[in-house]
Each structure stands twice: as C-alpha cells, then as structure tokens.
Amino acid sequence: MLSKIINKSFVQKRKDDVDDGDAGSCTQTVVDDTINDLSPPLLKTYPQAWLVLFFLVMLRTAVSVFQFTFSVVPNLTAEYFSVSLTGVNWLANVQCLVYVFFSFFTGWLFEKLGVKRSLILAGFLCAAGSAIRFIAIKLNSFPIVMVGQVIGSAASPLSLNIMTMFASTWFTENKRATAGMFVASNYGAILGMFMIPAITTKLEQIPMTLMVVTIIAAVAFIPLFFIPAKPPTPPSLVQDQQKPSFFSGLKLLSKNYNFWILFLVHSLNVGLSIAFGTIFTQVISPYGYTDTEAGQLNAIAFFAGTLGCSVAGPVLDKTKQHKLFLKLIAPMVLVSDLGFIFIIRKEAFAAILFVMTINQFFLSFLVPVAIELGSETTYPVSDATTSSILWQGAQICGFVLVIIMDMVRDPQGSPPNNLYKALIIQATVAGVVMVLAFLFQGPMARSEAIAWQKEQEERFKGQEDKSTFQKLATTTTATSVLDGTLSLETTLTKNVINDGSHQHEIIDQEKRNDNNLISSYTRHY
C-alpha cells in the first residue's frame, strides 16, 4: 500500500514541486496522503469479472473452431481443393507463422489498447477471416482461403497471449490460476472435433461448415463491445504498481535464465500438443481409422485436456506449489508419449483413446503451471510481455515440429504413409521437457512481493499519530533481478520534513532513475 502511495502521490507530484523549489510541500503531500489512506485497499473479484471471462472464453472457442476447421477433415479438404495433405497442413502452419509474427507486438498492443479493445480487435479479425474463407470456399479458391486463414489467425495471439494480463486485471490472487485455466482450456477444439466431422461427411457440405464457423465467430465478436474495460477497484496489491516499459521488460527478461528454461518447457510442451493435434488424423489413418473416428478421439482427448486445465487452476490457487507440480507432471507427459509408440496399431481404438486421454490431461495441466510461473519468476515485468513470449515460443515449436513430423512420413513403410518416426520424435522432445522442468529453480517473485506488501500494510495499519508518519517515508519496489532472484528494494528516510535538503536528494535520485527504468529495477542495497 505504501509503495502505491509513493508511486502515485509522491512520484507524480515531485517534478512540479522540485521545479517550484518547494520540497517541504511535496513531502507534506506524501505524509498527508499516507495518513488519509491507512485503510487496506478493497481487494475483491467482482461478479462482472466472471461475465467478462465468459465472453473471453466464447471468443477463444470461436478462434479454436476457426483454427481446426480443416485439420480435422484433411482428406476431404485435400480432395475439395485438389491439394496434397502437406498443402492442408500448411493451413495450420500459416497459423503458427502468423502467431509468431503477431506475438512480437501483442505485449506492446496490450499495454496501449488495454484488455477490452484488444479483445474487440481479436474478435473482429476472427470474424473477418471466417467471412473471407466462406467467400473463398464458394469460389473454390485455395489462395483466397489462405488469405482468410492468415487474417483470422491473427486473433489467436491477441486472445490467448492476454491470458495473464486479463487474469491480473480482473481477478484476485487466489483466483488468477482458475481464471487463466478457463482461458487456456480449448473448448473450441472440443466443439470443432465433434461438430466438424459430424457435419462434414461429403465434399458438398464443406461450404455449409464454413458458414457455421463464420456464424460462431460473429456471435463471439458482438458482445465484446459491451463488456467493461476494468473492475471498479484493482484486484491485487501489485496491479497498479509501476512496471518497466515493454522494451525495458524485454531487457530484464533477456538476462533471466530461469525464465528461458521455463520458456523452453512451455514452448516444447505446447508445441507437441499443436503438432500432434494437427497431424493426429494422418498418424492413425494409415491403420484404417476414418476421419470421424479420428475426430472422436481428438475431441475426447481435448476434453481430457480441458479437465487437466480445470484441475490445475484451483489446485495451484489453493497450494501455490507451482514448482512442485512442474516437476511432477512433466514425467507423466513423457510416459504417455512413449506409450503412443507402442499402441498406435490397427484395431486399437480403446488403447489409443486411453493413452491420448492421459497424455492430454497431463500436458494441459502443465500449461497453467508454466504460464503462472512465468509471471511469478519475471515480476515486475508486465504479464502481457511474459505471456506473449511464452505463447510465441509455443507456436514456433509447434510450427517446426509439424514440418519435421511431416517430413518423416514413410510412403513405402508398412502401412504406407505411416508416421511412426514422428512418434519417436515426440517422445524425445517430451524427455527434453522433463529434464528442463527439473532444472528450473526460479523464484515466486510476485507472490513474495505481495506477501511483503501485506506485511508492511499490517505494520502501519492502525497508526493514526501524524507525527509518526512525518518521520518516515518508505519506498518499495519489488524487482526481478537479472539472475532470476527476488530483491525487495527499500529506501528509508527519517525526519523528512525537518530536512528539506535530504528530501531534494531523494527527488533528484528518482529523477535520475526516470532516465533509465531498468536501473530502478535492478539496483541492490
């Protein structure tokens, strides 16, 4: 609370006061504001937060249905447009490329536009891309479909990278992981896996399918105009704290080795999910399974993934044992990926379903763990910046793995066009994820900062003697140190009012820090 007072009441007023040569007046303002704001801030999750979350989940669902439109019926798509299965895969590959490109800008966009306008932009792009694809399908033009795919794919990074920023804007600390779980859960994939194969059994049904996808996108887009921009009061003690700018945050992240370990864990883990989900139908179809059966398997697997996210959110909020679960869950992903090598055979539907369910449950459980750890270990770097980089890495890995797995297709194998080698690659990558998970030792910096602020607030709570506060001005900044550890930077200044020259000294120091934000986040005492 005191850091909020200093940052807002003191820092905002200090420049004018220094220019006027009235240090005592500036100090008196700080003291008075401190005395008048002794009560703890109102930290709560408002009911409208859940409504906004519902509309964000609707948008994420529409985006996912858009993404999986063609990949769940690859054979019909290839026949309709007279292209190869590799050509169909490029409809998914271009989504990864667009995601990677836009993720360079999402952190900056989120800071400039805020949550509401960012979501509106995402909804517009999804609806526009869907409409273009519908027009292109009527013209039987694969290049125009690709244009619509590119435009609509830009909605994915805007709606997913904002996950941690959205949660920190609307939800208190004990509900952040739960809110993030709903955003990360792929409800659209479940809907797409069941719906699209069911309504697309013949070539002539593809235009109708594109029309349905367009309607879903429009329904998800329109309500975004009516959601509130932010809650009446911040839900966290650190929500309104001064943070480094986008580019300053990037500099801090570049030297935080624990973040880059986590970056690889999340990127490879989600990359496996993207790649395997994209080519899964092609993995099992050589063994006699139909597109409908593949869609059913994928849908149930995505349901298991949603369950994994659903369990992870409340568990993390309750226990705060993020690092423990990182090390427990990663080996389970490896074990299930090893299982695929041995069970994908003819007439093994039940076995494939079992392993697929286990794999997606643990893989999806790991997603909220990694995303929340990203915000924790990089605090005070903006959540939007951290999340954007993590999801960008996931799309890069997904793109690369799809290409690699497609390249190891064996046309002359038994059966022809099998992807057995792709399963071996998948298990190898999962092994790397497990090793990296055990190497991660980053701090829970954000949680420690919040706990420290609560401790300071309790210390000063109930003190009503004005003279006490005239003798003490405290500034506190929680910092992510370059080596990944947490530092709490504190400056104590006594007899502030009686020593105007000393007050000027503090002001001058803060002014110098304004010229280089990073210095104020990495200075040690």
Side-chain angles (χ1 to χ4, degrees), residues 138-215:
K138 302 293 285 187
L139 300 174
N140 196 22
S141 172
F142 189 75
I144 299 179
V145 167
M146 189 65 76
V147 171
Q149 195 81 352
V150 169
I151 293 174
S153 296
S156 186
L158 288 171
S159 61
L160 185 56
N161 291 2
I162 205 170
M163 181 176 109
T164 52
M165 181 180 179
F166 169 82
S168 63
T169 299
W170 280 97
F171 291 87
T172 52
E173 293 300 317
N174 63 337
K175 293 182 175 66
R176 279 176 56 101
T178 300
M181 167 269 296
F182 282 109
V183 180
S185 296
N186 213 335
Y187 302 105
I190 299 173
L191 177 61
M193 295 298 175
F194 277 117
M195 179 188 73
I196 293 175
I199 66 176
T200 318
T201 57
K202 301 177 183 178
L203 289 179
E204 56 268 22
Q205 293 174 326
I206 290 182
M208 180 193 67
T209 300
L210 270 291
M211 180 182 68
V212 171
V213 173
T214 303
I215 293 172

Side-chain angles (χ1 to χ4, degrees), residues 53-91:
L53 175 61
F54 172 76
F55 288 125
L56 175 53
V57 170
M58 282 183 58
L59 175 61
R60 289 287 308 138
T61 300
V63 170
S64 293
V65 171
F66 175 93
Q67 290 179 307
F68 285 95
T69 303
F70 298 115
S71 61
V72 294
V73 284
N75 295 315
L76 284 175
T77 302
E79 185 179 354
Y80 191 94
F81 291 108
S82 299
V83 297
S84 65
L85 287 175
T86 299
V88 175
N89 285 345
W90 269 100
L91 289 170

Side-chain angles (χ1 to χ4, degrees), residues 306-320:
T306 300
L307 181 62
C309 273
S310 301
V311 172
V315 167
L316 293 175
D317 282 333
K318 184 70 174 179
T319 66
K320 300 297 182 183

Side-chain angles (χ1 to χ4, degrees), residues 340-397:
F340 282 122
I341 298 175
F342 302 101
I343 58 92
I344 293 187
R345 297 288 186 271
K346 292 182 179 180
E347 299 180 356
F349 186 91
I352 295 173
L353 175 62
F354 175 76
V355 176
M356 189 82 167
T357 301
I358 296 297
N359 177 261
Q360 289 298 308
F361 177 88
F362 288 115
L363 187 150
S364 298
F365 192 106
L366 208 55
V367 172
V369 175
I371 292 295
E372 283 296 304
L373 271 177
S375 294
E376 289 284 349
T377 200
T378 61
Y379 179 81
V381 176
S382 171
D383 292 333
T385 302
T386 303
S387 181
S388 293
I389 294 175
L390 289 175
W391 286 110
Q392 183 181 39
Q395 294 297 322
I396 292 174
C397 287

Side-chain angles (χ1 to χ4, degrees), residues 12-30:
Q12 294 296 327
K13 296 176 182 294
R14 59 190 166 87
K15 293 183 179 179
D16 293 337
D17 293 332
V18 170
D19 291 339
D20 294 338
D22 189 3
S25 174
C26 176
T27 304
Q28 187 66 48
T29 301
V30 179

Side-chain angles (χ1 to χ4, degrees), residues 24-342:
S25 174
C26 176
T27 304
Q28 187 66 48
T29 301
V30 179
V31 173
D32 291 341
D33 284 350
T34 304
I35 297 167
N36 294 331
D37 199 6
L38 286 175
S39 60
L42 178 63
L43 302 179
K44 61 180 293 186
T45 297
Y46 290 87
Q48 55 263 46
W50 299 103
L51 181 62
V52 177
L53 175 61
F54 172 76
F55 288 125
L56 175 53
V57 170
M58 282 183 58
L59 175 61
R60 289 287 308 138
T61 300
V63 170
S64 293
V65 171
F66 175 93
Q67 290 179 307
F68 285 95
T69 303
F70 298 115
S71 61
V72 294
V73 284
N75 295 315
L76 284 175
T77 302
E79 185 179 354
Y80 191 94
F81 291 108
S82 299
V83 297
S84 65
L85 287 175
T86 299
V88 175
N89 285 345
W90 269 100
L91 289 170
N93 290 343
V94 75
Q95 294 179 136
C96 293
L97 292 176
V98 171
Y99 200 115
V100 171
F101 176 76
F102 266 85
S103 289
F104 283 112
F105 309 101
T106 52
W108 177 81
L109 277 174
F110 295 154
E111 290 182 7
K112 296 298 181 181
L113 299 180
V115 172
K116 178 176 179 176
R117 287 186 290 179
S118 297
L119 295 183
I120 290 174
L121 178 58
F124 170 77
L125 291 172
C126 181
S130 300
I132 292 172
R133 291 195 318 180
F134 176 66
I135 295 171
I137 208 81
K138 302 293 285 187
L139 300 174
N140 196 22
S141 172
F142 189 75
I144 299 179
V145 167
M146 189 65 76
V147 171
Q149 195 81 352
V150 169
I151 293 174
S153 296
S156 186
L158 288 171
S159 61
L160 185 56
N161 291 2
I162 205 170
M163 181 176 109
T164 52
M165 181 180 179
F166 169 82
S168 63
T169 299
W170 280 97
F171 291 87
T172 52
E173 293 300 317
N174 63 337
K175 293 182 175 66
R176 279 176 56 101
T178 300
M181 167 269 296
F182 282 109
V183 180
S185 296
N186 213 335
Y187 302 105
I190 299 173
L191 177 61
M193 295 298 175
F194 277 117
M195 179 188 73
I196 293 175
I199 66 176
T200 318
T201 57
K202 301 177 183 178
L203 289 179
E204 56 268 22
Q205 293 174 326
I206 290 182
M208 180 193 67
T209 300
L210 270 291
M211 180 182 68
V212 171
V213 173
T214 303
I215 293 172
I216 292 174
V219 170
F221 170 50
I222 295 173
L224 299 175
F225 287 97
F226 305 101
I227 63 175
K230 59 182 180 180
T233 58
S236 170
L237 287 171
V238 299
Q239 180 59 30
D240 279 354
Q241 295 300 304
Q242 185 180 12
K243 296 181 180 180
S245 67
F246 175 70
F247 293 105
S248 298
L250 290 179
K251 291 179 181 179
L252 288 173
L253 291 181
S254 67
K255 299 180 181 181
N256 188 332
Y257 68 87
N258 274 303
F259 169 74
W260 292 111
I261 292 175
L262 195 65
F263 171 83
L264 290 174
V265 170
H266 179 71
S267 298
L268 293 173
N269 182 60
V270 178
L272 284 176
S273 178
I274 293 171
F276 194 62
T278 300
I279 68 169
F280 177 72
T281 300
Q282 300 168 47
V283 169
I284 66 173
S285 59
Y287 298 94
Y289 298 97
T290 65
D291 285 356
T292 300
E293 289 174 321
Q296 292 170 349
L297 285 168
N298 248 329
I300 295 173
F302 274 110
F303 179 80
T306 300
L307 181 62
C309 273
S310 301
V311 172
V315 167
L316 293 175
D317 282 333
K318 184 70 174 179
T319 66
K320 300 297 182 183
Q321 296 296 318
H322 297 64
K323 289 186 281 189
L324 174 62
F325 282 108
L326 181 69
K327 294 172 174 58
L328 288 177
I329 301 300
M332 302 306 298
V333 176
L334 171 61
V335 170
S336 56
D337 279 333
L338 288 171
F340 282 122
I341 298 175
F342 302 101

